């Protein structure tokens, strides 16, 4: 996921693409020239999803405000990668804190889910920063200075000493011991999965270069695990070898080492490659070219896993992130079968790379990492593990199950001030949702225990959290802390490890617990709640 998570319900998919053009005007310095691509990505009875991409053909801009009007009474219900206001048919979408700058030739995008009735025509006219579209590219009047800066190489924090000690397998430990050791985790989100037009770059979405000082602070705060989302996208070469860029693999390993050398457990995955909303995504379960997708997937994981054959049991590999076919409703076939196939390819491929990968704990998700769709008989199949080390006792597993938890989304992720309180300590019933409270949370996590933990497959709640709405309710952080405290305690009750989602953004609608530039804590109260203090 990028800056937020969407937990929504849809039932059918349709695709419509409408291209328009915009003028870019930013503080009287930007020349006219921009294009907007508006696409309805899925549609169902009374609802639809859409992606909007802005391509800058003129001078750089430092912020943007896209405006358009619906023609048939549609409304925006939930939006990500920006903030939205709507008055009647008129819609205004402003940039998020991390994606305001668009260099010449660069793009910015946002997505939303909306409602419709009768018909759902695409908007036909747009403005950007108050100027109507012309579609005419203009030569910049000055040298662009706001284009995203490539990830630095000379300023990267060197690996701490000593570097990881190689170990020989098999990796030992039971499922319960693993969960205890992983404990409370934290996501290094919006970094190695960040990208510009499908090209991964750890600074693309506004976060600074990852440093050892940040990981020191994360460990000092009490976290035992760091989950590191990773995208590959355009860093993958062409068929048939699908060679991953060597410098990108090296940077992934460097960041893993920054956490691993500090005694932390580390989880790395394949993150944005399965999002239709990401430029260059390819791990798409309802695409027609499944044979090629599976070959590419196998080749990439073979290369990644080979980098880590000597790492000990504190490194865990995760097959993919929130993989789905563009819908958040009931799983469909053959899409779920393809997700199961990806998981199986992942397990077989990693095991065959040998070394400690033959006994390493491997993490696999179900449909969109949704608890109901993973536990409820919708089609999830736990991979077989026929190539694992023969030294692992037959009574022990080496596979764990990944789920995410953001219920109720109206509190945790919806970018508005409607619901700012959660739990039994809420003081204003109108600010608290009617569902998704602690009893619901308990029931959901119990499902994971019944389906997996009780059968020897540990569960990892790899993402949870809630955004900052203190702009609407000064007491919001108290309820965010209550939510985190309850989630971690409930997961512990049912034998699951956890990792808080941190996207590096502090302030309104941010998930961050730390300032990554200064390596300081910004949300001590939430951290204390996670740690049970």
């Amino acid at each position: 996921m990028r800056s937020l998570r969407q937990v929504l319900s849809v039932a059918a998919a349709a695709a419509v693409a409408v291209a328009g053009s915009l003028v870019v005007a930013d503080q009287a310095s930007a020349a006219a020239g921009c294009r907007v691509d508006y696409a309805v990505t899925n549609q169902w009875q009374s609802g639809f999803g859409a992606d909007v991409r802005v391509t800058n053909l003129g001078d750089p801009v430092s912020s943007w405000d896209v405006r358009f009007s619906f023609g048939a009474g549609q409304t925006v219900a939930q939006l990500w990668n920006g903030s939205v206001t709507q008055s009647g048919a008129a819609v205004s979408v402003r940039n998020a804190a991390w994606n305001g700058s668009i260099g010449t030739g660069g793009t910015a995008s946002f997505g939303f889910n909306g409602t419709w009735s009768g018909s759902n025509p695409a908007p036909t006219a747009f403005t950007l920063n108050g100027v109507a579209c012309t579609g005419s590219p203009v030569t910049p009047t000055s040298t662009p200075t706001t284009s995203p800066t490539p990830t630095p190489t000379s300023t990267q924090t060197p690996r701490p000493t000593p570097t990881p000690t190689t170990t020989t397998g098999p990796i030992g430990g039971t499922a319960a011991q693993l969960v205890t050791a992983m404990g409370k985790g934290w996501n290094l989100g919006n970094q190695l999965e960040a990208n510009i037009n499908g090209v991964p770059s750890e600074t693309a979405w506004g976060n600074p270069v990852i440093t050892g000082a940040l990981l020191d602070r994360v460990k000092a705060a009490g976290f035992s695990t760091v989950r590191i989302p990773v995208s590959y996208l355009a860093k993958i070469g062409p068929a048939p070898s699908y060679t991953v860029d060597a410098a990108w693999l090296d940077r992934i390993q460097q960041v893993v080492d920054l956490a691993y050398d500090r005694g932390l457990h580390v989880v790395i995955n394949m993150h944005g490659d399965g999002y239709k909303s990401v430029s260059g995504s390819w791990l798409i379960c309802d695409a027609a070219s499944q044979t090629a997708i599976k070959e590419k997937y196998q080749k990439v994981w073979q290369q990644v896993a080979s980098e880590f054959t000597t790492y000990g049991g504190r490194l865990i590999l995760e097959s993919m992130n929130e993989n789905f076919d563009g819908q958040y409703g009931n799983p469909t076939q053959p899409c779920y079968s393809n997700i199961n196939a990806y998981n199986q390819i992942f397990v077989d491929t990693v095991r065959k790379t040998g070394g400690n990968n033959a006994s390493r704990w491997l993490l696999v998700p179900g449909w969109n990492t949704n608890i109901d769709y993973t536990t409820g008989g919708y089609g999830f199949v736990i991979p077989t593990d026929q190539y694992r080390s023969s030294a692992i006792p037959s009574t022990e597993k080496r596979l764990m199950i990944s789920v995410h938890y953001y219920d109720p989304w109206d509190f945790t992720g919806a970018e508005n001030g409607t619901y700012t309180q959660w739990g039994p300590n809420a003081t204003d019933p109108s600010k608290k949702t009617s569902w998704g409270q602690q009893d619901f949370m308990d029931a959901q996590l119990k499902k994971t225990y019944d389906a997996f933990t009780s059968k020897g497959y540990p569960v990892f709640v790899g993402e949870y959290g809630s955004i900052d709405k203190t702009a609407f309710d000064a007491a919001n952080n108290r309820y965010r802390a209550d939510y985190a405290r309850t989630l971690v305690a409930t997961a512990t009750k049912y034998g699951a490890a956890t990792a808080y989602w941190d996207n590096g953004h502090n302030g309104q609608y941010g998930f961050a617990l730390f300032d990554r530039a200064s390596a300081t804590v910004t949300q001590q109260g939430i951290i204390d709640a996670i740690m049970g203090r």
Side-chain angles (χ1 to χ4, degrees), residues 60-71:
V61 297
S62 59
S63 64
W64 48 264
D65 180 358
V66 175
R67 300 194 179 196
F68 58 89
S69 293
F70 286 121

Side-chain angles (χ1 to χ4, degrees), residues 1-5 81 96-99 186-195 201-210 227-231 271 275 463 501-505 509-511 516:
M1 178 56 162
R2 299 198 200 183
S3 59
L4 297 179
R5 296 281 180 269
N81 297 344
W98 52 270
N99 66 352
W186 174 82
N187 275 272
L188 185 61
N190 284 20
Q191 291 266 205
L192 295 190
E193 86 275 27
N195 72 89
S201 167
E202 70 185 274
T203 60
W205 293 346
N207 281 313
V209 173
I210 302 160
R227 181 173 180 260
I228 305 172
V230 181
S231 289
H271 205 84
Y275 286 154
E463 294 181 15
W501 176 255
D502 186 325
N503 63 359
H505 173 50
Y509 303 140
F511 276 102
R516 296 188 187 176

